[in-house]
Amino acid sequence: MQSTGAATILRVLRVCLHVGFAILLLVAIGRLLTGVGSAGAPSPVAVVGGLGLSAVLALVYLAGTILEKRHSGDAGRFDPTPYARWWLAAVMLLWLLLLLVSSDFAWVAFPLFFLQLHLLPRRLSLPAIALSTALLVGALWFHSRGSADGGLQLAMVLGPVFGAGFAVVTGLAYRALFLEAENQRVVADDLRRTRAELAQTQHDAGMLAERERLAREIHDTLAQGFSSIILMGRSAEKALDDGDAQAAKERLRIVQDTASTNLAEARSFVRGLRSPALEQSGLVDSLRRLCGKTETEAAARGTALRCRFALVGTPVELPNTYQTTLLRAAQASLANVWAHAHARAAVVTLSFLGAEVTLDVFDDGIGFEPSTAARTARGDGTGVGLMSLRERLAALEGSLEIESAPGEGTVVAVRVPLPVDEGVA
């Protein structure tokens, strides 16, 4: 039951209805007992029958209200709704039998009018109330025949008619409140269901975003590190086969350094922290060391790649997200240089240009056709580098441009607008 004003009024009206029925029935029983032996009173046999019918009526009425109350509190309990009209018919029949015994039971009709309005559709409830009123007037006339002023009197008609009219007006108001409370309950249920679905959607979106973050970090750090370890391991094995222990030792040192870096990166992005390289120093120094590391690893693999770093403008302190994105862009671009470009020289340029920061990675390798660059991941787990970089830049409202042609090298240009406070600085 909803804790709204309409629902509270409904509860009060329902309690008043049941209490009123019980009081009127008890009053009628009391008048029936106190009138035994007086003139015009029912015979003792009729009184006993009236008491029995009253007890049965009370039990039937009480059973119906209890079952309805239990079902409204717990929908899993027995639902008496399909039998409500049969219950109403039994109550009305018992009342009519009591009305034949004594006219004192006429007052019980008024709570029954409310039951008819509540349990029957309007096209049936209004005719049923009219019929009940007519039977009530007829019963009052029947019991007054032996009196001094017997016959149908105006009070016998006006009392039941006005009572029925008042019951109809009040019952219609009760029905309107009931429908309003039901609508509020349905709306509240829909709202709770919508909120639950929204919470589940947000949870799923959060899980998807976290998986995408981990995929980007794994590709940009661990995958590239493992690839370097494999290549260095093969190079060390070849140096041992050639009897060059010093070269093999140097390759193994690079393997150890790369593995240590990968371990630190793994621990870092699992905790959602910044890159260990950025923890130790700023973006400029990290990019400079990255160029040196790339050149050293290329030499260890027997590739003559010269990698140089250049800084343009005055560096400003960037938020962690900006630094990480630019560092990952440089790592992914240089990984593609030594893996695919067969270049002899590469230049990483970091520029602070007023309201934006740019990162350009140039190589003089074999180049490629930019329109064929992968925009989706392939089935083997590769081909996510550019897609991952675009996703990172989209989060910062940045852009990625690739200029290349077969035999003419490649330029990867990253543009990221600076935060407002940094741009002003």
Side-chain angles (χ1 to χ4, degrees):
M1 181 66 68
Q2 303 298 315
S3 57
T4 61
T8 302
I9 295 175
L10 283 176
R11 285 197 296 270
V12 172
L13 290 176
R14 183 172 300 182
V15 171
C16 291
L17 173 66
H18 298 329
V19 172
F21 176 84
I23 292 176
L24 291 175
L25 183 61
L26 289 175
V27 170
I29 294 174
R31 289 179 59 85
L32 179 65
L33 293 175
T34 56
V36 174
S38 61
S43 64
V45 175
V47 171
V48 173
L51 292 176
L53 288 173
S54 299
V56 174
L57 175 60
L59 290 175
V60 171
Y61 189 94
L62 184 63
T65 56
I66 290 177
L67 289 176
E68 191 275 337
K69 179 63 177 177
R70 288 183 175 180
H71 177 70
S72 63
D74 183 3
R77 290 179 176 269
F78 173 74
D79 184 8
T81 304
Y83 309 97
R85 295 185 183 181
W86 291 102
W87 173 78
L88 177 62
V91 170
M92 294 299 299
L93 178 61
L94 291 171
W95 170 69
L96 290 174
L97 293 176
L98 285 172
L99 198 58
L100 292 176
V101 173
S102 173
S103 62
D104 294 324
F105 290 96
W107 306 107
V108 182
F110 298 111
L112 298 182
F113 290 157
F114 290 101
L115 289 179
Q116 290 173 330
L117 283 169
H118 181 63
L119 297 178
L120 297 177
R122 186 173 301 179
R123 59 185 177 82
L124 296 179
S125 61
L126 295 180
I129 291 175
L131 178 60
S132 300
T133 304
L135 293 175
L136 178 57
V137 172
L140 293 175
W141 170 78
F142 174 78
H143 287 292
S144 66
R145 286 180 306 164
S147 61
D149 46 313
L152 187 63
Q153 301 177 19
L154 183 61
M156 295 181 184
V157 178
L158 291 181
V161 169
F162 275 105
F166 176 78
V168 168
V169 173
T170 308
L172 292 178
Y174 176 90
R175 179 185 288 268
L177 287 173
F178 177 79
L179 293 177
E180 179 185 351
E182 280 296 301
N183 290 335
Q184 290 178 350
R185 182 187 63 80
V186 171
V187 171
D189 291 342
D190 291 341
L191 179 60
R192 283 193 294 270
R193 183 170 57 254
T194 302
R195 291 177 62 182
E197 292 174 354
L198 178 60
Q200 183 62 40
T201 301
Q202 292 176 338
H203 177 264
D204 294 342
M207 292 182 60
L208 179 60
E210 181 63 12
R211 284 199 296 267
E212 291 177 349
R213 183 186 77 86
L214 292 177
R216 288 195 299 266
E217 295 292 344
I218 289 173
H219 174 270
D220 294 342
T221 57
L222 302 185
Q224 295 179 13
F226 289 144
S227 177
S228 177
I229 289 173
I230 292 173
L231 292 175
M232 287 296 99
R234 292 174 180 171
S235 179
E237 183 180 10
K238 184 177 183 301
L240 288 175
D241 292 341
D242 295 340
D244 190 351
Q246 184 61 32
K249 183 178 179 180
E250 179 64 21
R251 276 35 165 202
L252 290 177
R253 186 190 62 79
I254 295 175
V255 167
Q256 292 176 351
D257 292 343
T258 305
S260 298
T261 302
N262 264 23
L263 179 60
E265 290 283 2
R267 290 172 175 171
S268 176
F269 73 68
V270 165
R271 294 192 303 269
L273 303 178
R274 63 189 300 180
S275 171
L278 295 173
E279 289 286 349
Q280 299 170 5
S281 59
L283 176 62
V284 174
D285 291 337
S286 297
L287 291 175
R288 186 175 287 112
R289 286 201 308 271
L290 175 63
C291 289
K293 179 174 178 290
T294 301
E295 189 172 309
T296 301
E297 291 183 352
R301 293 192 299 270
T303 303
L305 172 64
R306 183 168 179 264
C307 187
R308 184 170 59 88
F309 172 74
L311 175 64
V312 177
T314 302
V316 297
E317 185 65 26
L318 297 175
N320 177 39
T321 306
Y322 286 68
Q323 295 188 54
T324 301
T325 298
L326 293 172
L327 178 60
R328 297 294 186 240
Q331 289 174 333
S333 300
L334 290 179
N336 288 331
V337 169
W338 62 254
H340 308 293
H342 305 291
R344 292 173 298 175
V347 179
V348 177
T349 304
L350 179 66
S351 304
F352 292 89
L353 306 175
E356 69 177 6
V357 58
T358 67
L359 177 74
D360 299 315
V361 180
F362 162 78
D363 72 79
D364 61 354
I366 60 175
F368 63 97
E369 179 57 46
S371 60
T372 63
R375 291 184 176 268
T376 58
R378 292 187 284 269
D380 59 357
T382 61
V384 301
L386 292 177
M387 182 179 66
S388 172
L389 183 54
R390 287 191 176 95
E391 290 175 353
R392 288 180 183 273
L393 292 171
L396 302 180
E397 299 183 356
S399 63
L400 171 67
E401 295 182 5
I402 301 176
E403 299 179 5
S404 183
E408 297 184 6
T410 302
V411 176
V412 177
V414 174
R415 300 287 184 273
V416 180
L418 285 173
V420 174
D421 55 344
E422 298 294 347
V424 172

